[in-house]
Amino acid sequence: QVQLVESGGGLVQPGGSLRLSCAGSGNIFSVDVMGWYRQAPGKQREMVADITRSGNTNYLDSVKGRFTISRDNTKNTMYLQMNSLQAEDTAVYYCNAALRMYATSPLRIYWGQGTQVTVSS
């Protein structure tokens, strides 16, 4: 089986920083695109940032210049460095990965369980 486990969420004051991690474990042959999504109360889930295996990135406009996504392909792990956090960044953050369990397996999408980020004074 495959699991994605997020960590690093918490309570931070406006202007502060947090670093989220997402670690993949289990039977993983290869990981393609990985991404961070978030969902605030009463809102739809939105893509925050994603990164290809080769390191190409995309960001939600509102986080550009403040958040940085990265990954370590040797560890099947992804990170999200979040700086200058604002109250509007408060949400549950989920990691997402398209991966293959075996060389001949089709790509499947997996989700983590989510980690809460709260920005408040």
Side-chain angles (χ1 to χ4, degrees):
Q1 298 302 319
V2 172
Q3 274 193 314
L4 298 178
V5 179
E6 301 102 334
S7 61
L11 173 64
V12 64
Q13 292 186 342
S17 298
L18 283 174
R19 188 188 192 218
L20 305 183
S21 298
C22 171
S25 64
N27 208 359
I28 298 174
F29 174 76
S30 67
V31 183
D32 200 287
V33 176
M34 301 184 79
W36 287 100
Y37 289 70
R38 68 187 182 187
Q39 187 165 20
K43 295 188 176 182
Q44 289 190 334
R45 188 173 297 191
E46 61 182 356
M47 193 275 285
V48 176
D50 64 20
I51 182 168
T52 66
R53 185 171 181 83
S54 60
N56 294 318
T57 58
N58 289 295
Y59 292 93
L60 180 68
D61 283 347
S62 63
V63 309
K64 286 180 181 177
R66 300 188 298 122
F67 291 9
T68 303
I69 190 171
S70 60
R71 63 189 281 175
D72 183 339
N73 292 331
T74 66
K75 298 179 180 179
N76 293 326
T77 300
M78 173 179 63
Y79 307 95
L80 185 68
Q81 178 66 43
M82 304 186 294
N83 299 327
S84 302
L85 283 160
Q86 305 165 357
E88 295 74 26
D89 297 315
T90 295
V92 178
Y93 284 70
Y94 299 90
C95 71
N96 161 293
L99 61 88
R100 288 184 173 83
M101 292 179 65
Y102 306 98
T104 56
S105 301
L107 278 174
R108 282 190 60 188
I109 304 297
Y110 291 84
W111 289 89
Q113 82 288 351
T115 185
Q116 177 70 46
V117 171
T118 302
V119 184
S120 175
S121 55

